[in-house]
Amino acid sequence: MRTNYRVNSGVRFRMLSKDQLRELYWGVLHVLEYTGLEVHHDEARDVLKKAGAWVDGLRVRIPSYLVRRSLKMAPRSFTIFARDGNPRHDIHIGPGRAHFGPGPTCPNFADIETLERRPYVKADVPQVAKIVDALPNIDFCESLGTVSDVHHDLGALYEFAGMFPNTSKPIVAWSYDRHDSAGIHEIAVAEAGGQEAFERRPNYVHYCEPLSPLVSTYEALEKLLFAAKHRIPLIFTPCPIAGGTAPVTAAGIITMAAAESWMGLTVAQAIQPGLPYIMGGVLSVMDMSAMILAYGAPELSLMMAGITELAHYAGLPLWQTGGCTDSKTFDAQAMIEGSMSVFFSALSGGDLTHDVGYTESGMTGSVFQLAAMDEAIGYSRRITRGIEVNEDTLAVDAIHNVGPNGHYLREPHTRRHFKSEFWLPNLHDRRNFEEWDMMGRTTMKGRTVAWVREILATHQPSAIKSETEKVIQKVLEAGEDRVKDQ
Amino acid sequence: MSEILEQISTAVIEGEVEEMVDLTEDALGDDISAEDILNKGLMAGMDYVGVEFKAGNVFVPEVLRSARAMQESMSVLKPLLEESGVQMLGKVLLGTVKGDLHDIGKNLVGMMCEGAGFEVKDLGKDIAPEAFADAVKEFEPDVLGMSALLTTTMRVMETTINVLEEAGVRDKVKVMIGGAPVTQAFSDQIGADGYASNAASAAELAKQMVGRA
């Protein structure tokens, strides 16, 4: 037995000191107290006013004690459950755990047959969900697109209705408004077995997006209120662009984004104390030539690491970003940008890393980028898992047994450990030249495309309850009915 | 080229906002016409900035600073140009459509159009179709630019074009549209006159629309 012995159980990356984090933390509280935000929602302003905020027209300023109290009310650890009870698909959010998944709302999609960019359609949704369900390192589901071939107000409903039966991994649900949110919730609650059962074992997360700089839109708050009232775990994530809609400095954009997200936190905790709340957002730079939000910039990883550390300092999980690229196709740039941001997300321990599979700066969703990043995530996870040091892994006995001039291939020690010590590549090729040549000289791109198509041909996600299928039909019909005259 | 015009174009390139009014008045004091100051001083500087921007040597904040410098000079020149009947490049009216509060792209378009030499009026965001129609009547722009970021709000562009028609002003103005989900196909479908995929190409498109590209 070891005494007075400290263990690092994984690779740890820390960018900011306690002093720096304290300065950021109080900077955020200062912005909320002295500058405040525009809150475009009567009920949300009332909630904030009753809780102790100062309301002046649309502008709301929140005293620091109130924000700090709200931070204390939100849990740091909680679980999002697989709809089918498969414990391997549960997501346990807590310190030192990084999870990964795709992002929402790309207008375009890289076609699975032609690989060409085209508008995202309803038929793409089940395909994305199936692939997510099968990928070993992808933990939650988003659709990688906005459905373009249904009534324009029903895109989010069809999206959820297409994902839910095709993966039992928890879904992060995006929606236009509270009608969508209500329909989505009805489906999830049917599967969970009622509202109470859902509250005990929530099976999805609700996603809302305020606007930078410092505006909470009506729609974002309408959805936040719905989620808070129904105790749906909530993500409130702004998407500020450094130099455009946010300060150009990393510390500045982190401070402003945190203020935007903590406004949502304060509303949510006032309505539903203890609501699982995941802080946003997506932070990157405006490319000052191309005028786009750069999804492949090193500053994205840097800023995301900074806001992750701030969130954890304040006691909240964070909605991280990674696995995305500005490249328009499956090429070396896409792999460098995606892999680097995946690795930094894994290192910083951001709780839910989304936008895996974004290409063209978020304009085109790609399951090929997603599948290739699954490999990068596996690779990163092996590194962040670190090295175990104990009497057995030290292998002093094995070294003694083999001695000089021997080999370790037949050692029980080798057999016992190689599967957990070594990462097993899935898409990466390590064969010698002759074998690679004989097997058709495949490329990473070719192997990724083949794997995606194989998953679609063979993978069977677990089924939803037949009652839930009926509820999905009912919800879609009610939606069609609602919009039929528009 | 006279020394003072060269100084003016250099000041535009360098974005010397504070010096522009003095330099412009000096040039006028030297009996250089407002039209020459505009074309051989200001626009010469902006053309250089435009070329360097495309080449990736000059960046958006620098372009906007140059455009701002040009605007300073224009505050002196504009009444003189109008007096002497010089044909200006034209007027651009901008706004983000009803229901949409995302306006960073539209703001960039406005600044790029100013830099190209347009007179720009920006209505802001969440602008109702009727407000666009009223502003077209009042401001009489050559080009109307509309933006939207959301797939839900981009459809309001079509409504706005219909309202322009009902108000009898559709044929008085060229309509250009933009925003992340907007495409050329969408532009054709709703009967806009053009689509631009970013702020710099929007300014180019506006120039084409007034026949000055």
Side-chain angles (χ1 to χ4, degrees), chain A residues 40 107-108 146 148 150 152-153 174 176 210-211 215 217-219 241 244-245 286-291 363, chain B residues 53 56 58-61 99 101-104 108 112 125 151-152 155 179-183 198-201:
Chain A
H40 290 249
N108 307 300
T146 301
S148 64
V150 298
H152 51 78
D153 283 336
W174 169 89
Y176 289 118
L211 181 65
V215 175
T217 59
Y218 177 81
E219 289 79 12
I241 316 172
T245 57
M286 176 181 282
D287 182 285
M288 290 299 185
S289 296
M291 290 174 282
M363 291 294 289
Chain B
F53 175 68
V58 162
F59 299 92
V60 172
L101 301 180
H102 300 84
D103 67 343
I104 183 73
L108 273 170
M112 286 290 179
K125 51 196 170 186
T151 48
T152 40
R155 290 165 187 88
V182 177
T183 59
N198 65 40
S201 54

Side-chain angles (χ1 to χ4, degrees), chain A residues 337-351:
Chain A
E337 291 177 345
S339 302
M340 294 292 269
S341 57
V342 151
F343 183 53
F344 266 84
S345 290
L347 276 180
S348 65
D351 303 78

